[in-house]
Amino acid sequence: MPMVDDKNGHPLHVKRPSENEFLHTNVKHTGIVHSSFSFESLQESANYLLDRISTRPKIGIICGSGLGPITDTLTQKQCFPYEDIPHFPSSTVKGHVGQMVFGYLHGVPVMCMQGRFHYYEGYPLWKCAMPVRVMKLVGVSHLIVTNAAGGLNPNYNVGDIMLMKDHVNLMGFAGNNPLQGPNDDRFGPRFPPMNRAYNKQLLAACDKVVNEMGIQDIVHKGVYTCLGGPNYETVAELKVLKILGVDAVGMSTVHEVITARHCEMKVVAFSLITNMCVDDYEDHMEANHNEVMEVSERMKGLLKEFVSRIVAYIKEELNVDDATK
Ligand code: HPA
């Protein structure tokens, strides 16, 4: 008699790692010790979802800290807790629910990650970014990535939006990258370019949305970087980031975008500036997570509208069809 999870009626064994979960290189011959999910195991994750959903979304959304309420707007919702999806890690952060949400946003089918995985939770970068590959295998071609970030650019204010025009992969500078290890060409090439990471057409669509909503005063285009966290930055670190040309700093997104570009997804990303970084030794303000959550809560209505309109543009202007099953 199979054991059944009484919440969803799914057999418990779906969580048990299968033989092909990890792609182990032959340590004896190569000396490489690296593991990541194999194409086949990620396909198992995707198939779990494909077997249960009534849509075929081409647009994916990653909801950052406190930005999960973006999914409130969805109709005909279907939710899949990460713990039920084969091979998924589970989210451990307060304010992150931890589920895949499918549904329609203004009539367009979408697939949302409500809660993401962070490096500071203890997951390697490839594991933090694995849901992006699952999204790809479900059929997503366009990815909207959101995050909460600290503002470094003195022209920014708390509550502003920074559309990402580029990023600095600082963890990559230190030799840590989600694409490390053996490459599976079914996802993408060994050496993917990253100079056009943020799609120009999608950025132009965002410009239109910004104009329509009359929010030009609070929207900027800038450069994001991800640090490992979980601590916020020292004054000296922030001064270095400024010299590097960074406008906003957070603890996510970069490895997701690298993974998405590797498999040729079109990406648009933005940060909600939830706090201004304190890069002055005389300033006694301190960054804290409650402030991040409060600002996200305050801005959620505007952000929902912003994301819905971007989705509508992707559908209409870029001809991403409705893809109903
Ligand atoms: N630094 C890093 N990550 C963040 C910040 C910050 O100031 N604010 C929100 N996420």
Side-chain angles (χ1 to χ4, degrees), residues 65 147-151 224-225 227 229-233 238 248-252 272-278 287-289 292:
S65 284
N147 61 56
Y224 174 90
T225 200
L227 297 186
N231 61 279
Y232 294 108
E233 302 73 32
L238 292 167
V249 54
M251 302 176 195
S252 67
L272 173 67
I273 304 299
T274 52
N275 56 288
M276 287 308 291
C277 294
V278 182
N288 70 83
H289 189 57
V292 171

Side-chain angles (χ1 to χ4, degrees), residues 15 62-63 80-91 96-101 112-117 131:
K15 275 300 291 173
I62 302 180
C63 307
F80 301 92
Y82 294 149
E83 67 219 39
D84 290 349
I85 309 173
H87 313 302
F88 260 64
S90 40
S91 178
H96 286 217
V97 175
Q99 57 181 3
M100 277 292 182
V101 185
C112 303
M113 277 185 76
Q114 191 176 13
R116 54 151 62 95
F117 307 111

